[in-house]
Amino acid sequence: GNIGICQGLDHILEAAERLEKDRKEVLFRFVGSGPVKDKLQREAERHNLSNIEFHPRVSLDEAAAHMAAADALLVPLADHEIYRSFIPSKLFDSMAAGRPVLLSVDGEARSILEEAEAGRYYPAEDGKELANNIRWMLDHPEACTEMGDNGRAYAQTHCTREAQANRLTAFLEELVG
């Protein structure tokens, strides 16, 4: 994906540092490219974080394989009021992958996540809360499996092209009718 400014990714380094001390099984994997990737890599090296890996951008098939191999998927955006009106497409991809989602986007994206019961919300750019949510997930594997299943079911029901076309048709009919 995009490793850019809008994602507000610095907090992931803070979470990694907090978790490295007591949850050695946690590994953060960045897959993609973007304007802040080099900075994040330098900071991870400077803090000697062994629980972070950086990988280059990959094909869609390879990205799907990375997502399927993950225990949870992060959908972060920076802490800015404008982002509260965004719904990152990565949210739908992550739910469709059947993995629990850690979302730091408030507003409609959070409402979708909570309606789907597909993961956990944490405040944008809050590394401490991200770490706390990861600890909770590690301590509740059955709940995580359920969240992943819920997300996949929600995506299959509400996020297909057919479902979206039906919603658009109903909306237009309501306008005309």
Side-chain angles (χ1 to χ4, degrees), residues 153-173:
Y154 185 92
Q156 289 172 337
T157 302
H158 300 285
C159 304
T160 64
R161 288 187 189 269
E162 182 179 355
Q164 294 300 307
N166 289 338
R167 285 182 65 198
L168 179 59
T169 300
F171 174 73
L172 293 173
E173 287 174 349

Side-chain angles (χ1 to χ4, degrees), residues 8 11 17 38 41 58-59 67 72 80 83 106 119 131 160 165:
H11 74 284
E17 193 163 17
D38 289 342
Q41 283 181 290
V58 296
S59 70
M67 293 174 80
H80 191 283
Y83 297 136
D106 208 348
T160 64

Side-chain angles (χ1 to χ4, degrees), residues 11 19 27 74 78 84 113 137 158 163 169 174:
H11 74 284
L19 292 166
L27 173 67
L74 289 170
R84 294 184 192 113
L113 179 76
M137 288 180 150
H158 300 285
T169 300
E174 185 178 313

Side-chain angles (χ1 to χ4, degrees), residues 72-88:
L73 297 165
L74 289 170
V75 181
L77 279 180
D79 187 14
H80 191 283
E81 185 176 324
I82 190 130
Y83 297 136
R84 294 184 192 113
S85 64
F86 286 22
I87 305 173

Side-chain angles (χ1 to χ4, degrees), residues 71 98-100 136-138 140-149:
D71 293 317
R99 297 295 179 258
W136 183 92
M137 288 180 150
L138 290 167
H140 298 88
E142 301 85 13
C144 290
T145 298
E146 187 175 332
M147 287 186 284
D149 293 344

Side-chain angles (χ1 to χ4, degrees), residues 5-18:
I5 297 166
C6 296
Q7 286 71 39
L9 300 171
D10 289 338
H11 74 284
I12 297 170
L13 299 182
E14 178 190 346
E17 193 163 17
R18 289 174 177 274

Side-chain angles (χ1 to χ4, degrees), residues 50-61:
S50 61
N51 59 351
I52 295 182
E53 292 180 354
F54 291 89
H55 299 271
R57 184 175 293 276
V58 296
S59 70
L60 289 177
D61 287 341

